PDB file of all heavy atoms in Angstrom:
ATOM      1  N   LEU A  78    -204.797  18.915  59.609  1.00 97.00           N
ATOM      2  CA  LEU A  78    -204.012  20.036  59.296  1.00 97.00           C
ATOM      3  C   LEU A  78    -203.831  20.140  57.869  1.00 97.00           C
ATOM      4  O   LEU A  78    -203.367  19.185  57.227  1.00 97.00           O
ATOM      5  CB  LEU A  78    -202.625  19.947  60.072  1.00 97.00           C
ATOM      6  CG  LEU A  78    -201.581  20.947  59.700  1.00 97.00           C
ATOM      7  CD1 LEU A  78    -201.880  22.324  60.411  1.00 97.00           C
ATOM      8  CD2 LEU A  78    -200.198  20.468  60.050  1.00 97.00           C
ATOM      9  N   THR A  79    -204.029  21.341  57.258  1.00 98.00           N
ATOM     10  CA  THR A  79    -203.785  21.600  55.865  1.00 98.00           C
ATOM     11  C   THR A  79    -202.588  22.465  55.774  1.00 98.00           C
ATOM     12  O   THR A  79    -202.477  23.509  56.373  1.00 98.00           O
ATOM     13  CB  THR A  79    -204.989  22.204  55.132  1.00 98.00           C
ATOM     14  OG1 THR A  79    -206.100  21.287  55.201  1.00 98.00           O
ATOM     15  CG2 THR A  79    -204.717  22.415  53.704  1.00 98.00           C
ATOM     16  N   VAL A  80    -201.595  22.007  54.856  1.00 98.00           N
ATOM     17  CA  VAL A  80    -200.512  22.900  54.497  1.00 98.00           C
ATOM     18  C   VAL A  80    -200.876  23.539  53.166  1.00 98.00           C
ATOM     19  O   VAL A  80    -200.927  22.792  52.169  1.00 98.00           O
ATOM     20  CB  VAL A  80    -199.178  22.073  54.524  1.00 98.00           C
ATOM     21  CG1 VAL A  80    -197.979  23.059  54.300  1.00 98.00           C
ATOM     22  CG2 VAL A  80    -198.992  21.340  55.822  1.00 98.00           C
ATOM     23  N   SER A  81    -200.994  24.814  53.177  1.00 97.00           N
ATOM     24  CA  SER A  81    -201.555  25.452  51.944  1.00 97.00           C
ATOM     25  C   SER A  81    -200.468  26.125  51.103  1.00 97.00           C
ATOM     26  O   SER A  81    -199.413  26.523  51.703  1.00 97.00           O
ATOM     27  CB  SER A  81    -202.583  26.562  52.337  1.00 97.00           C
ATOM     28  OG  SER A  81    -203.644  25.993  53.107  1.00 97.00           O
ATOM     29  N   ASN A  82    -200.676  26.164  49.836  1.00 97.00           N
ATOM     30  CA  ASN A  82    -199.793  26.860  48.942  1.00 97.00           C
ATOM     31  C   ASN A  82    -198.288  26.617  49.231  1.00 97.00           C
ATOM     32  O   ASN A  82    -197.545  27.500  49.580  1.00 97.00           O
ATOM     33  CB  ASN A  82    -200.038  28.399  49.016  1.00 97.00           C
ATOM     34  CG  ASN A  82    -199.284  29.191  47.964  1.00 97.00           C
ATOM     35  OD1 ASN A  82    -198.921  28.639  46.896  1.00 97.00           O
ATOM     36  ND2 ASN A  82    -198.971  30.450  48.302  1.00 97.00           N
ATOM     37  N   MET A  83    -198.059  25.351  49.178  1.00 97.00           N
ATOM     38  CA  MET A  83    -196.732  24.863  49.604  1.00 97.00           C
ATOM     39  C   MET A  83    -195.541  25.316  48.861  1.00 97.00           C
ATOM     40  O   MET A  83    -195.608  25.569  47.655  1.00 97.00           O
ATOM     41  CB  MET A  83    -196.758  23.311  49.639  1.00 97.00           C
ATOM     42  CG  MET A  83    -197.658  22.747  50.716  1.00 97.00           C
ATOM     43  SD  MET A  83    -197.612  20.977  50.829  1.00 97.00           S
ATOM     44  CE  MET A  83    -198.539  20.515  49.365  1.00 97.00           C
ATOM     45  N   SER A  84    -194.477  25.533  49.563  1.00 97.00           N
ATOM     46  CA  SER A  84    -193.168  25.766  48.965  1.00 97.00           C
ATOM     47  C   SER A  84    -192.164  24.817  49.592  1.00 97.00           C
ATOM     48  O   SER A  84    -192.451  24.104  50.576  1.00 97.00           O
ATOM     49  CB  SER A  84    -192.751  27.283  49.430  1.00 97.00           C
ATOM     50  OG  SER A  84    -192.521  27.345  50.784  1.00 97.00           O
ATOM     51  N   PRO A  85    -190.972  24.685  48.970  1.00 96.00           N
ATOM     52  CA  PRO A  85    -189.934  23.779  49.459  1.00 96.00           C
ATOM     53  C   PRO A  85    -189.654  23.939  50.951  1.00 96.00           C
ATOM     54  O   PRO A  85    -189.284  22.960  51.623  1.00 96.00           O
ATOM     55  CB  PRO A  85    -188.714  24.045  48.598  1.00 96.00           C
ATOM     56  CG  PRO A  85    -189.398  24.491  47.329  1.00 96.00           C
ATOM     57  CD  PRO A  85    -190.566  25.312  47.670  1.00 96.00           C
ATOM     58  N   GLU A  86    -189.862  25.160  51.463  1.00 95.00           N
ATOM     59  CA  GLU A  86    -189.566  25.393  52.846  1.00 95.00           C
ATOM     60  C   GLU A  86    -190.525  24.721  53.775  1.00 95.00           C
ATOM     61  O   GLU A  86    -190.270  24.623  55.007  1.00 95.00           O
ATOM     62  CB  GLU A  86    -189.580  26.915  53.161  1.00 95.00           C
ATOM     63  CG  GLU A  86    -188.463  27.700  52.495  1.00 95.00           C
ATOM     64  CD  GLU A  86    -188.543  27.827  50.981  1.00 95.00           C
ATOM     65  OE1 GLU A  86    -189.649  27.938  50.517  1.00 95.00           O
ATOM     66  OE2 GLU A  86    -187.528  27.829  50.291  1.00 95.00           O
ATOM     67  N   ASP A  87    -191.667  24.271  53.308  1.00 97.00           N
ATOM     68  CA  ASP A  87    -192.589  23.522  54.026  1.00 97.00           C
ATOM     69  C   ASP A  87    -192.238  22.004  54.199  1.00 97.00           C
ATOM     70  O   ASP A  87    -192.993  21.278  54.828  1.00 97.00           O
ATOM     71  CB  ASP A  87    -194.030  23.652  53.415  1.00 97.00           C
ATOM     72  CG  ASP A  87    -194.516  25.069  53.510  1.00 97.00           C
ATOM     73  OD1 ASP A  87    -194.377  25.772  54.501  1.00 97.00           O
ATOM     74  OD2 ASP A  87    -195.092  25.480  52.512  1.00 97.00           O
ATOM     75  N   SER A  88    -191.165  21.656  53.518  1.00 97.00           N
ATOM     76  CA  SER A  88    -190.791  20.161  53.624  1.00 97.00           C
ATOM     77  C   SER A  88    -190.351  19.966  55.030  1.00 97.00           C
ATOM     78  O   SER A  88    -189.440  20.512  55.619  1.00 97.00           O
ATOM     79  CB  SER A  88    -189.600  19.926  52.723  1.00 97.00           C
ATOM     80  OG  SER A  88    -189.998  20.159  51.410  1.00 97.00           O
ATOM     81  N   SER A  89    -191.093  19.102  55.713  1.00 96.00           N
ATOM     82  CA  SER A  89    -190.899  18.803  57.140  1.00 96.00           C
ATOM     83  C   SER A  89    -191.672  17.478  57.457  1.00 96.00           C
ATOM     84  O   SER A  89    -192.373  16.941  56.635  1.00 96.00           O
ATOM     85  CB  SER A  89    -191.505  19.902  58.059  1.00 96.00           C
ATOM     86  OG  SER A  89    -190.814  21.090  57.884  1.00 96.00           O
TER      87      SER A  89
END
Side-chain angles (χ1 to χ4, degrees):
Chain A
L78 170 77
T79 298
V80 186
S81 303
N82 188 24
M83 288 184 286
S84 67
E86 292 71 36
D87 294 319
S88 296
S89 294

